[in-house]
Amino acid sequence: MGLRLACGMLLVVASITAQETTGRITGTVVDAVGSVIPNAAIAIVSPVSLEIKTDATGEFAIVGLAPDFYTLQFSAPGFETRDIATTVAASRERSLGRIVLEVGAVPNCEQVLSGHLIFDKKIRSGAKPSLSGVVRDEAGRPLKNTTVNLEIAETSQTIAIAKTNDKGEFQFLDLSSGVYRISSDGSLVFNLRVRRNHEMRVLVTLPPPPLCL
């Protein structure tokens, strides 16, 4: 009985000693107008590696930290990442107060379409060149009834408009030799050089619309 009591006392003393030698970091993550940011990520990047999330009120508490100099990184979708350096003392709470995250840069609303040439076939001499293709989404599904604009690369002037069919196909016939580009829903495809006496066919992947404010 005496041995059990002694062991229990040792565990309590060890627990109290651990609590007395560690500290904690607390704070609240907010945006520029003071609204809290729930589920924001707080990562300790030095001297240890650890990540937690803010709660529904934007608050966080990192406990059990040994006395040291710490570098923390704060991030949330749509906001700029912010780094903060601070120190932790034994048995003390280091409050960072309100950590303000600025809204991230708005992405360019003009995206570049991904695509590649399927074939470049020579046709009979004197025939007008043509450009055709298939428009698909990122999952590979054909996009029907999608507007495709054909532009002159140097001037960005639209010279023809086509709609995709049920198979996502489009075509531009009787073109002159030159460099063209295709646009669709505010997105641009790479430059395409249409050659004399050639028929070109491309596969175009249309990305989802960007988040533009």
Side-chain angles (χ1 to χ4, degrees), residues 18-48:
Q19 291 176 6
E20 289 178 348
T21 57
T22 60
R24 54 193 278 144
I25 301 175
T26 61
T28 305
V29 180
V30 299
D31 62 18
V33 296
S35 300
V36 300
I37 304 177
N39 209 37
I42 303 100
I44 297 179
V45 296
S46 174
V48 295

Side-chain angles (χ1 to χ4, degrees), residues 4-25:
R4 291 183 179 178
L5 180 59
C7 290
M9 291 178 64
L10 286 173
L11 289 174
V12 171
V13 171
S15 176
I16 293 174
T17 302
Q19 291 176 6
E20 289 178 348
T21 57
T22 60
R24 54 193 278 144
I25 301 175

Side-chain angles (χ1 to χ4, degrees), residues 47-71:
V48 295
S49 180
L50 175 70
E51 181 172 318
I52 65 169
K53 300 281 190 178
T54 57
D55 62 18
T57 62
E59 297 180 346
F60 69 92
I62 309 174
V63 300
L65 299 174
D68 208 334
F69 184 85
Y70 289 86
T71 300

Side-chain angles (χ1 to χ4, degrees), residues 199-211:
E199 176 186 353
M200 298 178 61
R201 187 169 177 83
V202 295
L203 174 62
V204 177
T205 301
L206 187 62
L211 177 63

Side-chain angles (χ1 to χ4, degrees), residues 114-151:
S114 62
H116 62 271
L117 188 65
I118 299 177
F119 67 75
D120 182 3
K121 183 175 67 175
K122 193 167 185 178
I123 53 181
R124 61 183 176 82
S125 178
K128 290 266 190 164
S130 65
L131 174 63
S132 61
V134 180
V135 179
R136 296 178 180 170
D137 62 17
E138 289 189 314
R141 297 181 292 257
L143 295 174
K144 66 178 181 179
N145 203 35
T146 298
T147 300
V148 180
N149 303 303
L150 184 68
E151 304 174 1

